Every structure is written in structure tokens, then in C-alpha cells.
Amino acid sequence: MRIIGWICWRWKMGIIWKFFFCCCFIVVTLSIYGDCLSLEDCILKSYFSKNEVLTDSSFQDLLQDELSKFSCKLLPGDPNPQLTLSGLERRLIGEGSHRHLSSTIQLQVPPQSFPLQSCKLVMIERLPSGVFADPFELDHLFHHGAYAGIGVFGDTNLELPSVSSNRSAVEIHMNFEHSISSGAMSELGIRIDLPLHARYAPLHESGYSEVAFGTPDLLVSCSMEGSSGMRSCLIVPSHDSNRLRTDVVWKIPCGIMSHTNVVSVVTFATAFVSTLVIVFASVLYPKPR
Amino acid sequence: MTAKAPMNLRRLLIGSAVFRLALILYGEWQDAHMEVRYTDVDYLVFSDAASLMASGSSPYKRTTYRYSPLLAFLLLPNSVLHRSWGKFIFSASDLLVGYFIYKILKQRKVAEDLCLYSVMVWLLNPFTFTIGTRGNCEPIVCAMILWILICLMNGKIIQAAVWYGLVVHFRIYPIIYSLPIILVLNPRYIQLGKKPLLVNWKSNAHRPSSQSGMEASTRYNLWTAAKSMFSKERVLFGLVSGGIFFLCTGLFFHLYQWEFLNEALLYHLTRADPRHNFSVYFYHIYLQYGRQLSLVEKLISFLPQSIVQLVLISTFAQDLPFCFFLQTVAFVAFNKVITAQYFVWFFCLLPLILPWSDMKLKWEGLGCVGLWMGAQLHWLLWGYLLEFKGQNVFLQLWMASLVFLLANASVMAVFIRLQRFSPIFLQIKVSDSKSGVKSQ
């Protein structure tokens, strides 16, 4: 009986251990991608499930498909809910190889027709070649409440220089929290900070490589009542391009090709001089008297 | 004095343990409240890999996990008990290294106060206590290396071989110690089943060592030389350590396939990181990145390291701790990639050679420390301007790495010049070898 009891105890402990390990694994997996579980998972996840490499044209095609499939119109012919992107300002904050890309977004929303509580902002940042986002750093920020959800897709190798790496993209979900009502419209302001890191750039005689950021894709995703229950839908805010200030350029220091020969020769010469210092010290070492 | 002495080591170890515990707790606070973490990024990699292993997945699904699965296995309790479990293990290893240093020096009859100062050189070194408490696994490797030395000093060849095979599997670089270990396993000095005679600290100061051994070697004919090259001690050490290494490699290859081989072994053998680091080769690698190097170019980058290792081994192998120390400094200095954690590899060996050094703190010792630290700080200054201020200072940073290499070579030359050669083993006399005399 004692042996049976011991076996049962070991069996129960085994189940408990496995339960804890599974929970830990689930937490680890989810935390990297955060809340990307609506809209057929993230839009970028759909993209990278069909494409290996990020290109702007194929991404735009996919985005159009997603928008037509998940439109917020209740019936064909219904007008899209009116959302206007009234301002977008982008800045690169910091110096050196580790900076923050700050995006300040202003949206105008008609409050009566818009269920803000069930909506969130989706920003897709297609990063240029030459910079990357660290998924583990973003996971840390996600757990500190910086985002409602975040995912990094594409080439997330943290170590390769840009000549050996492909582009990556970040999808960020943010809740709408603050609004200022003025008459029939609500003004929403959201600021998103995305920490980025520079890859080692291709060689250039000027000593600097310029990386230009494009305009992010901004969408609003909402849950709405459909014919078969709650469903998610997407809205693209209309915007006036003149009011969007999106030129951001990052100058990254890079190696200079004309240094190559001198660097190679002097490097190996120094290595050999150091070798000679150690060899002579060893050869001239006074052995035991 | 004898009754008080163990208390001082105990107090030193307890005080060091309490300090490390405080640092671990502080690290938890900093991680939770500040944007810049105290914990090393590598520790998060180990923890994630351990979580994956716990769930039955490969630890190599975690990008940048480039270690043995044994490390992830050691950190399994991170997911279950507390995320700082690994830091406690690494800090405990760090304290164990301190204890092993004391044990090795005591076994060679080094004076008590010198033993304690040597232990302090390790335990109170800022590199040492930050590396374990930040979650870096190098203290485990250091503890294994010192344990191998202790096994050899006690004639436990098979045990030394098992640990040696394991440590090479764990961290590859200790492969550089294979030749000096094989050389020192000379049947004239160490025989299977018998505790070898050690050259102790006091005796070395007053009598010439190895002269009788050197005379004896001239009487050897080729047959005797060949026989001793393939002595049973050497063959056994090679077979057992090689067997353990291949057993571990085979087991983990069976479990994790090519991912394990590529990430844990081949990556380290072929690594050429173009990003800035202390190595003289970083800018050369960056400028040549993507270009296929010729055979001559590959050989030239390999030669300095090979020549230095061979010269050091052939000159100092009999003084095993000193040989290990010099080899490790040279290996790190001439490597294609150098990160600060590699310095711990020779910091753990430095206390073992200090009792035999004629280097005075003023001004040779302080001069060496100043030169080495100064060259490092100089590099860090340019590194800061490049990485955190975005200035193109590649050329200056590269020149700083040249200065750092020259500083390492100069410090090595000073150590060599001021070190009293002390072979670790005494030659066994023929009559003594039969009776198995245990100590001098």
C-alpha cells in the first residue's frame, strides 16, 4: 500500500510539474507577441505566413485584401465610419545606435457613431533595411504596459549587418484612452515610442549611411455586431497628406572602404609584433638555476 | 594562528556570499524599476532556453542561445522556483572558485596570509562579483577548470579527464589546455593510482627544481621517449576526456540535431563578428565582410594565436597554473572576438600564480593594472562615442584595440619576466615510485 501511495504521489507531482512548465511556456510564447489575437491574428502574421521577405508592394496588396475582407461596413453600400487622421508627427529621439522612433498621432472621431471602447489603434511600422527592433526588449516593455499588443516579424536576427539581413516590421496595438470632445467631434491623441537599433551599415566613403523611414500604416480595429455575432473590422482613417510630417532620417556611422588596406596591414603587423614580444619574453625567460 | 586562519577564510567566504546576495536582490529591484537592466541579456537568453527545454522544446528555438543544453538544464528551476535561481548557482560557483584557489595554494604549502590575499584577488575583483550576480555562467567554467587542477594534483587522472571532457563540451576554449595537461602527465611525475609529489611554495624558493629531471631526460633513448609519450596516463586521459566530449556531443545531437551542432559548437569555431569589440580584428572583419578571404589571409589571422600558444606551452607546461594563465590571456587577446566576460577566464587563474611572482605591487603590479585598465578604458571611450553618440570613430576605436593588444602582450611579458618557474610536480625517484610516497 505504501508503495502504491508513493507511486500515486510521484504521478501527481509529475502532472503538477508538467502543468507548471506548460503554463510557463505559454506565458513565454504569448508575451513575445502580446495581444495579437484578433483580426485573424496580426496583419503582419498573415503577411509573413505567405511571404518570406517584406516588400512594400506585396504588403500593400495584402493590406487591401484585409481591408476589403474586414471592412467595418454593416451592409454593402453602407458608408464607412468617419475617422480622420488630423495629424501625424514623427521624430527620432536619442543619439547613437539605439534610439526611439516617436510617432504622435491625432485622430478625429465622431463620438455618437463610434464605439471607442471596443476599438484600438493599429500601427504597422515597416522598418527600412539598416534598423531592427529587439523582440525581447519590446516584450519587456509590453509587460510594463507600454503597449496593448506588439509583434515583430521578418528578419529579427539581432547580430547581422544590414548587407546580410532582410527587413522587419513591427505591429503595435494601442488602446484609445484620452479624448477631448469639441462639439460633434472627439480629438484623440496617441503617442507611440518604438525603441530601435541600428545594424552595421554597408561601407560608404562619407563615413555615414542614411536610413529613411516611410510613413507607417495606421488603422483602427473595432469589434462590432455582425449577422453572426461579434466580429472584428478595420477602418483606414482618411487624411490630408500636407498635415503629415513623416520625414525621418537616421544617419548611421559606417566603415570607410579606403581604410581597408591600411587596416588589414597594420592589424596583422600589430598582431605579429605582439607575438614577437611574447615569444622573446618566453625564449629569454630565465629557466631554473 | 592555525586556529584563527580557517575562521578568516570562512569570514571571507561568508562576507562575499552576503555581498553577492545583496547584489542579486539589488539586481531584481533595478530590473523592475529602471529601464536599464542590471541583469545581463545573456541571462534572459538562458532563462528562455530553460523554459523551452522545460516544455519539451529545443532550447535552440531561443535565438542567440549558443551554449550546451546542460546550461539550460541547470536553469530549469528558473521557471518553477524563481527567475534568479541561475544567478544563485553562478554566484555559488564564484564562491567555490575562491575556495578552490585556497585549497590549491594550501596543498602547495603557500603561507596562510598569501593564500588569503590570493583568494581576495578573486573574490573582491569587481569583474568577478558582477559577472555572477548579473547572470553570466563563466564562474561555473572557472570552478571546473580549478577542480581539474585539484584532481591532477591529487593524482585523480580519470576524474580530471571526465571533468575536462565536460568543460570542453560546455565552453570549447579549455581545449587549449589539452597539450600542457598531456605534457605534464609524464610518468616521471605522475602515475596512475599514486598521488604525485608536488613542488611546494617554500621548497621552490630554496632549491633548484627540475635539474635532476632534466639530467634524467638526457639518459632517455628514443624508445623510452616514445613509450612515455604514449604512457597509460596520457592515453587514459585522452580517451576518457575525448569519450566524455563525444558522448555529450552525440547525446545532444541525437536530441536536438543540427541546431545544437551549429549553435553550440560550429558557431564558436567560425565566429567572426564585424561589430565592434576589443579584438584587433573587428574593423578588418567589418571592412572585409561578405568578401571571400583567400587561404593566405585566413592563415595569417590564425598564425599569431597558434605561434603564441605553442611557444607558451613548450616553455611553461610543467608549471601548469602559470601555463594555463598565460595561454588564456593570449587566447583572449588574439581572439577574433573579445567581450568583457572572457576576462574572467584568466582572472580565476591569476591568484594561483601570484605566490610565485616577484612582482611588487609598487610599481610593477600597479603599472600592469594601470596599463591594462587604461588601455581598456581608452577603448571604451571610443566605443561609447561610436555606439551612444553616433560619431564615426571606427579608425580611432580600431587603434584603441591595437593599443589594448599591445598592452596585453606587454603585461604578459612582465609577468613572464618576474615569475619564478615552479613545475607543479616533482620527479618521482624510481625507488619512491614503488613505495608510493604521497607528499614531499
Side-chain angles (χ1 to χ4, degrees):
Chain A
M1 281 302 293
R2 280 172 66 186
I3 293 169
I4 293 169
W6 179 82
I7 292 170
C8 288
W9 178 82
R10 284 291 299 258
W11 178 66
K12 282 180 200 164
M13 288 308 292
I15 291 175
I16 291 169
W17 282 122
K18 281 176 191 157
F19 175 73
F20 274 124
F21 290 149
C22 288
C23 286
C24 295
F25 176 65
I26 290 166
V27 166
V28 165
T29 313
L30 270 183
S31 67
I32 291 172
Y33 295 110
D35 177 21
C36 254
L37 299 176
S38 57
L39 288 168
E40 303 287 317
D41 291 337
C42 299
I43 296 171
L44 280 174
K45 203 167 174 182
S46 309
Y47 176 83
F48 280 99
S49 64
K50 297 168 195 153
N51 300 274
E52 270 193 37
V53 174
L54 175 66
T55 58
D56 292 336
S57 53
S58 50
F59 179 77
Q60 290 295 349
D61 292 340
L62 180 123
L63 192 59
Q64 291 306 316
D65 282 343
E66 296 284 303
L67 287 170
S68 57
K69 269 195 293 191
F70 298 105
S71 165
C72 286
K73 296 181 199 179
L74 284 174
L75 293 167
D78 273 358
N80 248 333
Q82 283 300 307
L83 266 181
T84 309
L85 181 66
S86 53
L88 172 64
E89 195 174 313
R90 308 252 281 167
R91 286 185 305 141
L92 207 52
I93 299 170
E95 296 176 292
S97 304
H98 315 286
R99 304 195 190 187
H100 283 78
L101 179 62
S102 171
S103 307
T104 306
I105 299 146
Q106 267 130 13
L107 285 170
Q108 279 183 344
V109 177
Q112 290 83 7
S113 62
F114 216 75
L116 260 184
Q117 296 79 10
S118 62
C119 294
K120 56 188 171 187
L121 180 74
V122 176
M123 183 171 94
I124 297 173
E125 190 73 58
R126 283 171 279 143
L127 298 174
S129 174
V131 298
F132 66 94
D134 182 347
F136 304 101
E137 180 183 21
L138 296 179
D139 176 57
H140 179 67
L141 292 173
F142 167 72
H143 279 103
H144 278 70
Y147 315 105
I150 190 153
V152 186
F153 301 87
D155 191 341
T156 54
N157 188 309
L158 312 178
E159 298 169 329
L160 290 176
S162 49
V163 292
S164 303
S165 54
N166 293 311
R167 291 174 65 188
S168 57
V170 182
E171 182 166 331
I172 303 170
H173 294 195
M174 298 289 282
N175 292 321
F176 291 116
E177 284 174 4
H178 305 288
S179 67
I180 304 161
S181 290
S182 100
M185 302 296 280
S186 281
E187 188 82 23
L188 293 170
I190 296 181
R191 181 176 154 167
I192 301 176
D193 273 329
L194 180 62
L196 295 172
H197 310 275
R199 294 191 185 280
Y200 259 47
L203 307 179
H204 197 275
E205 279 312 301
S206 67
Y208 290 91
S209 172
E210 289 192 351
V211 170
F213 288 83
T215 311
D217 298 292
L218 291 167
L219 310 159
V220 173
S221 127
C222 298
S223 296
M224 60 178 282
E225 192 72 46
S227 52
S228 50
M230 293 299 286
R231 69 178 187 98
S232 298
C233 65
L234 286 171
I235 310 164
V236 180
S238 56
H239 64 269
D240 176 3
S241 306
N242 295 328
R243 300 186 71 172
L244 305 183
R245 288 165 52 188
T246 62
D247 297 330
V248 176
V249 174
W250 188 343
K251 273 181 73 172
I252 301 169
C254 62
I256 298 173
M257 183 86 75
S258 54
H259 290 169
T260 307
N261 291 336
V262 169
V263 166
S264 299
V265 169
V266 175
T267 298
F268 291 121
T270 309
F272 275 105
V273 166
S274 305
T275 305
L276 288 175
V277 166
I278 296 167
V279 166
F280 278 129
S282 304
V283 164
L284 297 173
Y285 176 70
K287 273 292 193 156
R289 276 90 52 198
Chain B
M1 172 90 171
T2 313
K4 194 182 165 190
M7 279 302 292
N8 282 338
L9 173 68
R10 199 177 299 145
R11 254 188 250 147
L12 187 57
L13 288 174
I14 290 172
S16 301
V18 168
F19 181 59
R20 281 150 176 79
L21 175 64
L23 276 178
I24 291 173
L25 294 173
Y26 167 74
E28 290 295 303
W29 178 88
Q30 180 169 329
D31 289 355
H33 294 89
M34 293 170 72
E35 205 175 302
V36 176
R37 282 191 174 113
Y38 178 82
T39 302
D40 199 317
V41 165
D42 276 349
Y43 187 73
L44 306 174
V45 174
F46 305 157
S47 293
D48 290 345
S51 300
L52 287 164
M53 183 186 260
S55 63
S57 287
S58 164
Y60 299 101
K61 296 229 178 312
R62 178 39 164 107
T63 54
T64 71
Y65 182 74
R66 298 199 173 101
Y67 300 86
S68 165
L70 288 175
L71 180 60
F73 180 77
L74 268 177
L75 264 60
L76 283 176
N78 270 25
S79 314
V80 178
L81 291 177
H82 192 274
R83 60 176 174 263
S84 294
W85 160 264
K87 292 182 186 178
F88 284 105
I89 293 289
F90 302 149
S91 298
S93 303
D94 163 12
L95 295 170
L96 199 59
V97 168
Y99 173 67
F100 285 164
I101 290 168
Y102 182 85
K103 193 176 158 73
I104 288 171
L105 295 179
K106 258 332 223 193
Q107 205 168 336
R108 297 186 75 183
K109 310 275 192 290
V110 174
E112 180 65 22
D113 54 346
L114 212 48
C115 283
L116 290 176
Y117 291 141
S118 300
V119 173
M120 280 186 219
V121 164
W122 169 258
L123 288 178
L124 304 183
N125 184 338
F127 272 105
T128 307
F129 56 69
T130 50
I131 213 152
T133 55
R134 289 188 68 216
N136 200 287
C137 67
E138 305 300 345
I140 292 184
V141 181
C142 295
M144 288 164 83
I145 302 280
L146 294 191
W147 182 246
I148 290 165
L149 272 172
I150 291 171
C151 289
L152 288 172
M153 285 165 65
N154 289 296
K156 294 175 183 170
I157 297 173
I158 296 175
Q159 201 184 138
V162 169
W163 284 101
Y164 185 69
L166 207 56
V167 83
V168 172
H169 160 79
F170 200 80
R171 212 64 176 99
I172 301 185
Y173 87 88
I175 195 71
I176 61 175
Y177 304 144
S178 57
L179 207 44
I181 291 176
I182 291 291
L183 285 173
V184 104
L185 289 177
N186 190 320
R188 288 188 288 156
Y189 302 105
I190 183 169
Q191 291 175 359
L192 209 57
K194 296 187 179 74
K195 195 166 177 176
L197 300 174
L198 300 178
V199 174
N200 63 42
W201 179 69
K202 248 197 169 50
S203 67
N204 186 60
H206 297 294
R207 55 179 270 200
S209 54
S210 308
Q211 245 184 346
S212 55
M214 288 178 73
E215 281 172 9
S217 70
T218 60
R219 292 198 287 270
Y220 272 26
N221 58 28
L222 277 175
W223 170 243
T224 318
K227 246 183 28 177
S228 72
M229 209 183 306
F230 293 100
S231 65
K232 57 180 186 291
E233 291 80 12
R234 285 169 169 158
V235 169
L236 201 59
F237 186 90
L239 286 176
V240 171
S241 57
I244 294 290
F245 175 80
F246 285 111
L247 181 70
C248 293
T249 306
L251 170 67
F252 293 126
F253 181 74
H254 172 70
L255 291 173
Y256 304 115
Q257 306 297 313
W258 281 101
E259 251 185 337
F260 154 70
L261 217 54
N262 288 331
E263 298 294 328
L265 280 180
L266 299 177
Y267 170 82
H268 297 289
L269 295 174
T270 57
R271 184 180 182 185
D273 201 334
R275 293 173 299 165
H276 55 283
N277 61 87
F278 291 110
S279 173
V280 281
Y281 296 107
F282 93 86
Y283 197 23
H284 164 76
I285 291 170
Y286 177 27
L287 292 171
Q288 303 282 0
Y289 197 83
R291 190 175 80 79
Q292 192 64 18
L293 295 175
S294 68
L295 188 62
V296 172
E297 282 168 321
K298 286 180 189 169
L299 273 174
I300 289 177
S301 58
F302 190 59
L303 266 178
Q305 178 77 271
S306 312
I307 292 171
V308 165
Q309 291 294 325
L310 286 172
V311 168
L312 290 174
I313 291 168
S314 62
T315 312
F316 301 108
Q318 297 301 320
D319 186 348
L320 205 57
F322 188 51
C323 186
F324 278 14
F325 172 75
L326 291 175
Q327 277 188 273
T328 315
V329 175
F331 180 79
V332 172
F334 285 93
N335 205 26
K336 289 208 175 117
V337 178
I338 305 174
T339 60
Q341 69 193 72
Y342 297 173
F343 300 152
V344 179
W345 297 347
F346 54 77
F347 281 148
C348 68
L349 298 166
L350 176 62
L352 300 180
I353 66 165
L354 288 178
W356 285 268
S357 180
D358 288 332
M359 193 185 295
K360 303 275 181 291
L361 189 62
K362 287 183 186 179
W363 292 98
E364 291 141 347
L366 287 176
C368 284
V369 170
L371 177 64
W372 192 77
M373 291 294 307
Q376 218 181 113
L377 287 168
H378 173 237
W379 187 96
L380 287 169
L381 168 71
W382 293 112
Y384 172 78
L385 290 176
L386 173 67
E387 187 167 341
F388 295 100
K389 291 295 177 186
Q391 295 181 26
N392 188 322
V393 292
F394 276 106
L395 213 54
Q396 295 90 323
L397 187 60
W398 163 71
M399 285 193 257
S401 66
L402 301 179
V403 169
F404 186 60
L405 175 62
L406 289 168
N408 274 282
S410 307
V411 167
M412 281 180 70
V414 171
F415 265 100
I416 290 170
R417 194 173 63 80
L418 295 172
Q419 188 77 3
R420 297 196 305 275
F421 181 78
S422 171
I424 194 164
F425 298 124
L426 262 182
Q427 185 179 348
I428 302 169
K429 290 181 195 155
V430 174
S431 56
D432 287 346
S433 68
K434 284 181 184 164
S435 63
V437 172
K438 287 199 174 171
S439 63
Q440 191 184 7

